Amino acid sequence: MNLLQQLNASQQDAVQATTGPVMVIAGAGSGKTRVLTYRIAYLLQLGVHPARILALTFTNKAANEMKERINYLAQIPRAIPWMGTFHSIFARILRQEAQVLGYDRSYSIYDTDDALSLIRTIMNDLNISQQQFHPKAILNAISSAKNKLLTPDQLREETRSLFGEKTVAVFSEYINRLKQNNAMDFDDLIVHPAILFQNHPDVLEKWQSYFEYILVDEYQDTNHAQYRLLNLLARKRKNICVVGDDAQSIYAFRGADIRNILDFERDYPDCRIFRLEQNYRSTRLILRAADSVIKNNQQRIPKTLWTDNGEGDPVNILECINEQEEGARVARLIQDEIPKSKRDFNHFVILYRTNAQSRSIEDGLRRSGIPYTIVGGVEFYKRKEIKDVIAYLRTVVNPVDDESLIRIINFPPRGIGDTTIQRLRALAREKQITLFDALKLTDDIPRVNRNARKSIQELIALIQKYRNIYAKERMSASELARSYIEETGILTLFKQEASPDSIARWENVQELLSAITEFCQENPDKNLADFLETVSLIADVDKWNDSRNSVTLMTFHSAKGLEFPVVIMVGMEDGLFPLYNGNPEGDELEEERRLCYVGMTRAKEKLFMTYTRFRYRFGEGYYPTPSRFLDEIEPELFIYQKQPATAGWNNGTAADEKRRAFLGTSSAAHTNNRKKSRKRSEPHFSYEDESQVVPRLQTGALVEHEEFGRGKVLALTGKGEMMKAEVLFDAAGKKKLMLKFARLKIL
């Protein structure tokens, strides 16, 4: 098969540049995945051994699709054994090297819920108030530090607040507890390999020699730890090819650093750069509209996307009365589009900035009888009954995982109360033994009743029985799991309850057991530990079934890498999208703009964008201003559908006239509006004026916010409804808040 004939000239050049550092700047819809897969197939045709290629992606879905394509192109089975997400690949490396770091290779992988549970336990043990310092805020701060490869001592040097001091204390103990539990969180799967390679040159040399070629997808989304890992691995051969698009860097909140792609030439002065600028996905008008938005960013690599696709329809901007009418109108346009353009439900995706927005959209779809699927709702593997079963399985695979043992010690109910559990934990700490070993010493604990002792002994016997079976490999993973879970009594408990909820839970557990069976059939050489690792690394989008005939609902972040014939972007309002509390500025605004660009470029044929004239948010109603991103779309590229005069809307007011002028009824009005310095229409919302606010809220005042907690006002700016406060919060750091939305309580 002549691979190169199936590529355009730019793609061919990128594929054939096999040696040395290479950066491929791939615009939206330009065939980025195609270049990666063909580049790997081309290397295989040149005789490179499949196992010598390391290919890193950000989703399992992308990795699996690329594997299938490469298998077809290269005509060999299991084309790339070392292709997968950063976390899955380096988890495999850690399985082989864990002992160097003092871990057993059967270590558990804690998801966010597991990590948060451990953080809460540590805070209780350290007498740190969870009301004053939110556990999730502390976990996020620890995650951010890890992504920057900071130790607790290094973080302490940067700390200037009480929240920071408490975070450092929890961070130090968190590291210790994870080690004691033979467990790692998601961040550790990147941090530990980086530490391993930095501190053990012999291990680094082994893996540098093993991987001859390194390919990285979505390079703009790498964080500092991932960047460091790649630099270490590529240092010897420098055969590294990174593919990405700076305009689609949207994960700063996860630690992604856009400078990694912007500074690639600095890191590799001899690198070759290839630009993929032909878009194969969208119509010309959609592409031009997206470009007219993203070009307002200052931090960007210049590129000009073009397409041979047709002109297509203009972008449709819809004004809605409120979020209920927004949901109903979205449903109507789907109903209209299906017969008119001969579409199916799965041709549509509805994108929103926050998950909370889905409620009114779901209401509209349900009332219209439109089937839909939410990506990123309650994940299957995060349901309580599933996490309970997985905790049971972890107690077999990883004997020192105390957090999993705590989760199942009294489920199903065994009469082992919280007081007994606390005494057991105290005994384990006192004797410096595992919690499981402490269970064997219940006779040493006073005031544990006979029934509780008996239940503990039965639990010890059950876990030990299946640990022996697992160690001696007497059963397959699926047989062990089914037999073990049946003996726990979980399935019996759900059957006896016989409620619709318990029946659903019983069915979910059966589905999990079926998943283990399927995993064993597809991977006969894998064991239960391998299954637990696999499910720990599954993301929302990996489970999404795009063949189901239903409308898809998801956040903008979840949509990256996907495409749909029709995209509907809802909630296009300042404060909601771009999302901010005060005025967005600098990097924050540019990232929001990139997120808007990602949403727009998911559309192949049609793009709809909606905003409301009135919305409830955080329990209060307000009149939002249409998103500034709408104002950045060139006027000839969109059609504006206004709402007629409606009761409850103050037509004819000065504020309303400004709002009308924002999008305008003519190109001339809109163009004139764009030429002026931005003057946003003031929300038509009754709020206290400055004369009422200032005497009560002053610089230095102590305040409380429902999300950020206690804080101190550092500065006040603006007037009237545009007044803002800069507040230093104990738990969340410095924030700029618009007073009319902040709902601050003066202490």
Side-chain angles (χ1 to χ4, degrees):
M1 181 184 296
N2 190 332
L3 297 173
L4 299 180
Q5 287 184 350
Q6 303 175 54
L7 304 173
N8 66 35
S10 298
Q11 292 171 338
Q12 288 181 21
D13 292 341
V15 165
Q16 293 180 90
T18 57
T19 58
V22 170
M23 179 166 66
V24 181
I25 302 299
S30 64
K32 166 180 64 69
T33 304
R34 187 179 183 85
V35 165
L36 274 174
T37 53
Y38 275 73
R39 183 181 173 88
I40 293 172
Y42 186 71
L43 287 171
L44 296 174
Q45 282 193 349
L46 293 178
V48 178
H49 193 282
R52 301 299 189 183
I53 299 172
L54 172 62
L56 298 165
T57 67
F58 273 83
T59 67
N60 292 301
K61 182 180 178 68
N64 292 334
E65 290 173 353
M66 289 173 65
K67 284 179 183 177
E68 291 179 8
R69 184 64 177 160
I70 292 166
N71 288 344
Y72 170 76
L73 293 172
Q75 297 295 304
I76 59 174
R78 288 195 64 198
I80 304 296
W82 289 96
M83 169 178 278
T85 64
F86 272 88
H87 292 86
S88 65
I89 291 297
F90 286 104
R92 283 178 60 190
I93 291 176
L94 283 171
R95 293 288 178 200
Q96 298 187 36
E97 308 290 353
Q99 290 180 339
V100 179
L101 294 171
Y103 280 82
D104 186 274
R105 63 178 301 161
S106 63
Y107 63 81
S108 299
I109 299 175
Y110 283 2
D111 64 16
T112 304
D113 291 341
D114 300 323
L116 193 58
S117 175
L118 181 55
I119 291 290
R120 289 193 174 104
T121 299
I122 292 169
M123 292 179 71
N124 286 336
D125 292 344
L126 298 180
N127 294 317
I128 298 175
S129 170
Q130 295 185 30
Q131 284 69 45
Q132 185 177 5
F133 305 99
H134 200 290
K136 189 170 288 186
I138 286 183
L139 178 60
N140 289 340
I142 291 173
S143 176
S144 178
K146 283 188 172 186
N147 288 331
K148 297 173 184 175
L149 295 178
L150 296 178
T151 64
D153 287 341
Q154 290 170 327
L155 182 61
R156 182 179 289 110
E157 293 176 4
E158 297 184 359
T159 296
R160 297 292 184 272
S161 67
L162 182 59
F163 172 77
E165 293 174 8
K166 299 300 182 184
T167 297
V168 169
V170 175
F171 189 7
S172 298
E173 186 60 21
Y174 181 64
I175 292 174
N176 294 335
R177 298 282 179 96
L178 285 173
K179 191 74 170 288
Q180 291 170 11
N181 292 350
N182 191 36
M184 300 184 192
D185 63 19
F186 285 159
D187 296 322
D188 289 332
L189 299 180
I190 305 299
V191 172
H192 282 317
I195 294 171
L196 178 73
F197 291 160
Q198 286 176 177
N199 297 342
H200 300 275
D202 56 327
V203 178
L204 173 60
E205 165 67 24
K206 180 175 76 172
W207 291 101
Q208 284 177 332
S209 299
Y210 188 81
F211 295 125
E212 297 177 10
Y213 294 89
I214 300 173
L215 297 93
V216 187
D217 191 14
E218 307 286 9
Y219 187 64
Q220 76 280 349
D221 291 332
T222 53
N223 61 33
H224 178 72
Q226 290 164 330
Y227 164 83
R228 179 66 179 152
L229 259 181
L230 292 169
N231 277 359
L232 287 168
L233 278 175
R235 182 180 294 167
K236 181 175 181 177
R237 300 179 186 273
K238 294 189 178 179
N239 290 334
I240 180 171
C241 173
V242 302
V243 182
D245 181 7
D246 58 293
Q248 297 185 66
S249 178
I250 59 173
Y251 292 114
F253 69 95
R254 294 182 187 170
D257 191 342
I258 192 174
R259 292 175 298 179
N260 293 349
I261 192 168
L262 296 178
D263 295 342
F264 188 79
E265 288 182 85
R266 180 205 64 190
D267 296 330
Y268 300 95
D270 57 339
C271 76
R272 286 176 285 177
I273 299 177
F274 301 91
R275 284 177 167 80
L276 306 183
E277 297 179 316
Q278 182 176 0
N279 177 284
Y280 292 93
R281 176 187 299 153
S282 305
T283 63
R284 292 177 190 170
L285 288 181
I286 290 174
L287 200 60
R288 286 176 58 196
D291 185 64
S292 67
V293 172
I294 197 62
K295 70 182 182 183
N296 290 278
N297 272 8
Q298 300 299 313
Q299 292 189 82
R300 55 192 295 263
I301 298 174
K303 69 180 80 68
T304 304
L305 293 187
W306 60 277
T307 183
D308 281 336
N309 295 340
E311 191 80 356
D313 295 335
V315 176
N316 278 266
I317 297 176
L318 283 64
E319 180 188 74
C320 304
I321 300 169
N322 52 35
E323 60 258 54
Q324 288 74 35
E325 205 267 342
E326 183 180 46
R329 198 162 186 193
V330 165
R332 286 199 303 272
L333 76 84
I334 292 173
Q335 289 175 323
D336 292 343
E337 275 289 312
I338 286 177
K340 183 171 69 175
S341 303
K342 296 182 174 59
R343 301 190 188 281
D344 290 324
F345 290 120
N346 60 6
H347 290 178
F348 297 84
V349 67
I350 302 170
L351 303 179
Y352 36 77
R353 183 62 181 85
T354 65
N355 282 303
Q357 293 171 253
S358 72
R359 182 190 59 79
S360 57
I361 302 300
E362 289 183 71
D363 288 345
L365 297 178
R366 277 198 299 266
R367 291 191 182 102
S368 300
I370 296 175
Y372 63 89
T373 300
I374 297 180
V375 176
V378 178
E379 301 174 42
F380 178 78
Y381 289 102
K382 289 189 176 180
R383 297 179 188 275
K384 180 186 182 302
E385 63 274 18
I386 299 303
K387 289 187 71 67
D388 290 337
V389 170
I390 287 176
Y392 266 105
L393 299 178
R394 281 179 176 170
T395 61
V396 168
V397 172
N398 181 9
V400 299
D401 187 347
D402 287 357
E403 288 302 308
S404 292
L405 186 55
I406 285 293
R407 185 178 184 95
I408 55 92
I409 195 170
N410 197 41
F411 181 79
R414 297 185 173 91
I416 304 174
D418 289 342
T419 301
T420 299
I421 293 172
Q422 292 305 317
R423 289 171 180 164
L424 286 166
R425 298 191 78 152
L427 179 64
R429 287 195 297 271
E430 177 190 339
K431 295 185 176 292
Q432 295 185 333
I433 57 177
T434 67
L435 183 62
F436 186 75
D437 287 336
L439 292 179
K440 301 174 186 177
L441 303 176
T442 50
D443 290 340
D444 296 350
I445 303 177
R447 300 190 302 278
V448 175
N449 65 53
R450 183 183 304 172
N451 289 335
R453 279 198 172 93
K454 181 182 178 182
S455 294
I456 290 171
Q457 291 166 359
E458 290 173 349
L459 179 61
I460 291 171
L462 177 65
I463 294 174
Q464 194 60 58
K465 171 184 175 180
Y466 282 94
R467 282 183 181 174
N468 293 334
I469 292 173
Y470 175 75
K472 296 178 181 179
E473 299 182 347
R474 292 177 180 173
M475 291 182 177
S476 69
S478 60
E479 291 171 330
L480 186 152
R482 187 168 292 278
S483 177
Y484 184 28
I485 298 309
E486 284 180 355
E487 280 202 54
T488 64
I490 291 176
L491 294 171
T492 302
L493 174 68
F494 291 150
K495 276 186 175 180
Q496 289 174 345
E497 286 184 11
S499 66
D501 181 63
S502 67
I503 292 171
R505 291 175 183 271
W506 182 88
E507 291 173 345
N508 286 337
V509 174
Q510 293 290 353
E511 179 65 23
L512 175 63
L513 296 174
S514 297
I516 299 175
T517 301
E518 184 179 328
F519 177 83
C520 291
Q521 291 171 347
E522 294 178 355
N523 306 275
D525 58 331
K526 299 292 181 67
N527 60 20
L528 187 57
D530 295 312
F531 173 79
L532 292 175
E533 177 182 305
T534 299
V535 300
S536 295
L537 300 174
I538 291 176
D540 294 348
V541 73
D542 296 326
K543 304 188 294 294
W544 172 59
N545 181 5
D546 57 357
S547 64
R548 186 183 302 166
N549 191 20
S550 60
V551 175
T552 300
L553 278 67
M554 62 173 64
T555 64
F556 285 94
H557 284 99
S558 298
K560 193 159 81 69
L562 305 177
E563 60 181 33
F564 296 83
V566 182
V567 170
I568 305 169
M569 297 169 56
V570 299
M572 298 297 297
E573 300 145 24
D574 261 14
L576 187 56
F577 197 26
L579 184 67
Y580 61 88
N581 287 313
N583 264 336
E585 51 191 37
D587 294 346
E588 178 187 356
L589 179 58
E590 294 214 347
E591 173 129 342
E592 290 288 306
R593 187 176 283 111
R594 291 193 294 269
L595 190 56
C596 180
Y597 174 81
V598 165
M600 297 174 76
T601 54
R602 300 311 93 196
K604 297 169 68 175
E605 300 168 19
K606 284 197 173 183
L607 175 61
F608 295 85
M609 307 171 90
T610 72
Y611 72 93
T612 66
R613 302 189 302 198
F614 179 85
R615 184 180 295 274
Y616 277 99
R617 194 166 177 225
F618 304 128
E620 292 191 0
Y622 70 104
Y623 293 89
T625 301
S627 172
R628 65 193 65 202
F629 299 149
L630 298 180
D631 193 25
E632 292 171 355
I633 302 174
E634 298 295 338
E636 66 272 15
L637 302 177
F638 67 81
I639 296 174
Y640 173 41
Q641 300 181 31
K642 295 188 295 184
Q643 274 293 333
T646 308
W649 174 252
N650 298 323
N651 293 285
T653 65
D656 189 40
E657 289 306 314
K658 288 182 182 178
R659 186 177 288 104
R660 300 296 188 199
F662 159 64
L663 288 173
T665 55
S666 68
S667 296
H670 192 101
T671 302
N672 185 54
N673 182 52
R674 288 178 55 82
K675 289 180 179 178
K676 296 177 181 178
S677 60
R678 183 177 306 280
K679 185 176 182 182
R680 312 302 296 170
S681 55
E682 295 181 359
H684 200 74
F685 186 68
S686 177
Y687 232 85
E688 296 174 306
D689 63 25
E690 183 184 8
S691 63
Q692 295 170 304
V693 174
V694 174
R696 292 170 42 211
L697 185 62
Q698 299 177 355
T699 301
L702 296 179
V703 295
E704 186 170 31
H705 186 273
E706 61 183 13
E707 180 179 354
F708 303 131
R710 289 169 57 92
K712 181 178 181 180
V713 177
L714 300 180
L716 294 168
T717 57
K719 296 182 179 181
E721 293 184 5
M722 302 307 291
M723 177 173 279
K724 306 178 192 69
E726 184 176 8
V727 183
L728 178 61
F729 291 101
D730 294 337
K734 193 180 296 184
K735 300 287 183 182
K736 290 183 179 179
L737 307 174
M738 186 86 73
L739 287 184
K740 67 173 179 286
F741 299 139
R743 301 174 66 185
L744 291 175
K745 178 182 177 182
I746 300 176
L747 301 178

